[in-house]
Amino acid sequence: MRSLSYTFCICIICATGLFAWLCLDLFRVFIVQPGLQAANIAKALLQISPANHEDFLSMLAIVALFSGLCFLFKKSKIAILAIWLASTLAFCASVAFGYANIEINRLLGEPFTYQWLLYADFLKSGDARSALNEATNLKDAALMIASVCAVLLLGLGGGVLLRNAFRNANYRQVISWAFGATLGFGALQLASASPDIPALKLKNPTAYFLASLVSSSHPVLFTMKSGTGNQDFETFAEVNAKPEPTKASNPKIKNVIVFVLESTPWEYVQPFGGRYPVTPNLEKYAPNAMMFTNAYAPAPATGYSLFSLFTSLYPEISYQSMSSQHPTTPFTTIANVLHDKGYSTGFFWSADARFQSFDIFLNGKGFDSLHDYRNIACDRAALKLSDARWKNMDLTYDPCTAGDISAWISRQSDKPFFGVMMTGMTHYPYETGLPPAHYADDEKLNAYLNALKLGDEAFGVVMDGLVKSGKLDSTLVVVLGDHGEAFGQHGNFVHASAIYEENMHIPLMLIDGTRFTGEKSERLASVIDIAPTILDVLGMAPPDEWQGRNLLGSSERKHVFFFSPWSGYKFGYRSIDKKVLYDATANRLETYNLNDDPREQKNLSAPGEVPIEDLEPIAAWAQYQDKLMKAHFAKEASTKRDCPLTRIEVEAGGTDVEGPPELLVTVDGKSAGTIALDSAIPSKAKTKDDVRNEMQQAIHHLKKFVLDIPGTVNPQKISLKFTNDKWAGDTSGGDRNAFVGSLFLNGAVQPLDQSYLDDDSAGVVNSDGIAMYRDVTATLKGPFTSLCK
């Protein structure tokens, strides 16, 4: 042999590849047959291994690549060492990813993809971190590391044996033997009878992720011909020439509350047949409601449903969220319409509104107030699940969010109001911070039901607040789930990977005791229909650009549509007599008769057949929606212009000890000036109660300070930094604090309760303003649309 180093490297790579494939083969058994007993592993391995082609070919590709590199650079020992190290990393990653794929496949129904990465906001979301925590707990982390180490050690030992076996052979003989053995073994495996296993359970996770990076964002549905009409999804501008639906306005209704239950399908809500006693308050108000038993979300994801709820539009058919990709597109929301009619408008969310830039998306969409876990007062500590790396995970207690919106309602005098509250605790991983009651034996389902019980309690708080304020009879209350939640009914968990009933079918209730008496409507409904229905009850016309329909009118749609783009492209629609699901990635059709088969257990479509007539409604909708969204984006691009910021006015004060508090004002990170709040009142505070009392006095002694900002265009971030905190309470007494009551940009007031603090423990943000008790920065994100007016 010409060199021992490169042949030894090839031997180690070949042996490690063999043991890595055997390890992935073992992992595959637990993906295909979860919960398998140890005594049955060997039998299952023999049955499943013949079908496990992708893992074999993936390891073969790694072996061939690095073996070829070893031969190519055989004269350089440094290169050989580098190639061996690189191959070792590749095998380690493959085995580790393969082990994690056991839990990922259980949760998502498929290996991890780039689309899932986008959906998870590049792993910054709460569900992403929780899923990864479950996949990498201490036990699993130990088993994963042990698997990797075992493969490397066996590979090294096998490499030594191979080197010794072929010590006297030349490299041509070694290559010929390896090629022949691989070809023979591969042919034997490919020719073996394969069991009937779902294709997604046999995908190699590394190859599957890489393939998702180049997957098409425009399935064939966007280009195929369709002969069906657009009557189910065309905008009101196109409907105007047709007979209008019957008006359903109620002159008694002046106000609207929309209560959104996070991750709540119809099947766990008692008025819709839920068998668990976790929604007694919804059950209490069911006799005063109309319930829609065939209501659907547009996609199994919160951001998509909230977009449709506010804009009465189906979202863009994309795995990239509207709020993160198109935050400034000027869609007309129901909050815009009602704000222009003189309504107070507010959005209250138990979670973090910064997820997928939803707080930025809401800017300019008509909401006066935006409250999330950061500025909702609560006697229970927020569930702080975020850290420096993992963002957007924190939650506040749902009943506290309900108390916050109830307090906001009580502050509305004669002005009508439109408020939206969204719960958070029923989102995976269903954390409540309380000892769980027992409703179900399944641990995750039981945790979910306990969280739903708190969501129902929050609903009760809102309704009690309306009763106490005397506004219940003048308020329409809309209750809905933003999407469903799966617990293994079709082999999928949580919500975003499929579009079965458990993922898409939601509860929808309109509560108005002056009008409804517990009616149940079977008409088809979508989240996009809620906004025009609300406006019709208020006697207002919908904007021309909306696609929804009035659910209380006489005109009924024939189809509602939905999609999920994160586990392949899945499209579906519900008609009165059937539900059609189409996986455009796998070209697979499923058809169900929900009247006879409400749990979707019997697929009526023949295997391998995809009738054109079943696809035509989906194709017509997908193509129409693609054009509609592109028109909105093009309109935004054509109307963009420079919006200069010339003047900042801060109405502020505070408490003075040995000097006034100071605020450093920055625009997009650049200093705009420092303001000394000389209106601050003298402080003698020695206790926390003294501090609070003095700040209440300071609120009534505010002064307006003006900063001229020449040459600033399209600012995206305004920050106010309290820079000189001082405590003198241990001596003569006194505490230096700052309070900002109003912020004006070019004379237009900005909603301060949409700002956030870089240290939540150093101050308070609420509808009164920003109180700063220690050195802290308050930031308000743009775009600041008022500058362009």
Side-chain angles (χ1 to χ4, degrees), residues 263-268 293-297 300 482-487 489-490 492 494-495 498-507 524-525 560 562 572-575 578-581 590 592-595 597-601:
S263 302
T264 302
W266 93 108
E267 62 183 312
Y268 300 120
T293 58
N294 291 322
Y296 289 84
D482 64 334
H483 51 73
E485 193 76 349
F487 292 92
Q489 292 94 322
H490 288 87
N492 70 96
V494 293
H495 45 260
I499 52 176
Y500 294 106
E501 289 292 277
E502 60 267 22
N503 307 96
M504 309 305 304
H505 190 172
I506 60 172
L524 296 175
V560 291
F562 31 83
Y573 65 86
R574 169 74 195 274
S575 64
K578 68 178 180 180
K579 183 178 177 184
V580 174
L581 309 179
E590 297 175 59
Y592 298 96
N593 183 328
L594 294 185
N595 293 323
D597 181 23
R599 298 291 174 177
E600 298 166 297
Q601 298 300 305

Side-chain angles (χ1 to χ4, degrees), residues 531-713:
T533 302
I534 290 172
L535 290 191
D536 201 65
V537 169
L538 297 174
M540 302 178 191
D544 285 346
E545 69 186 56
W546 285 7
Q547 289 178 285
R549 301 291 183 263
N550 172 25
L551 294 175
L552 300 176
S554 58
S555 176
E556 297 188 29
R557 63 169 82 249
K558 295 180 180 179
H559 306 91
V560 291
F561 297 89
F562 31 83
F563 72 101
S564 174
W566 303 288
S567 178
Y569 269 90
K570 293 181 172 66
F571 297 85
Y573 65 86
R574 169 74 195 274
S575 64
I576 293 297
D577 58 345
K578 68 178 180 180
K579 183 178 177 184
V580 174
L581 309 179
Y582 177 60
D583 187 330
T585 305
N587 193 33
R588 183 176 63 248
L589 190 74
E590 297 175 59
T591 307
Y592 298 96
N593 183 328
L594 294 185
N595 293 323
D596 301 330
D597 181 23
R599 298 291 174 177
E600 298 166 297
Q601 298 300 305
K602 185 178 180 181
N603 180 12
L604 301 178
S605 296
E609 292 187 8
V610 184
I612 292 297
E613 59 268 21
D614 284 334
L615 292 188
E616 283 187 332
I618 302 176
W621 169 66
Q623 293 170 30
Y624 179 95
Q625 203 62 27
D626 189 47
K627 292 179 181 178
L628 181 64
M629 288 294 110
K630 285 179 178 176
H632 276 287
F633 305 148
K635 181 179 179 181
E636 178 191 19
S638 67
T639 57
K640 277 187 175 179
R641 63 185 189 275
D642 290 340
C643 304
L645 171 62
T646 59
R647 187 174 78 259
I648 296 177
E649 298 167 85
V650 181
E651 196 171 55
T655 56
D656 182 323
V657 55
E658 300 177 18
E662 294 181 349
L663 293 177
L664 172 63
V665 183
T666 62
V667 179
D668 291 338
K670 297 180 180 180
S671 175
T674 299
I675 301 172
L677 304 180
D678 55 19
S679 61
I681 65 171
S683 173
K684 297 294 182 183
K686 291 187 177 182
T687 68
K688 289 184 177 180
D689 286 340
D690 292 340
V691 172
R692 283 192 290 267
N693 291 334
E694 286 183 352
M695 282 293 276
Q696 286 299 315
Q697 297 175 42
I699 291 175
H700 302 290
H701 294 80
L702 304 183
K703 178 180 176 182
K704 185 175 287 189
F705 301 88
V706 180
L707 293 173
D708 291 322
I709 315 291
T712 303
V713 178

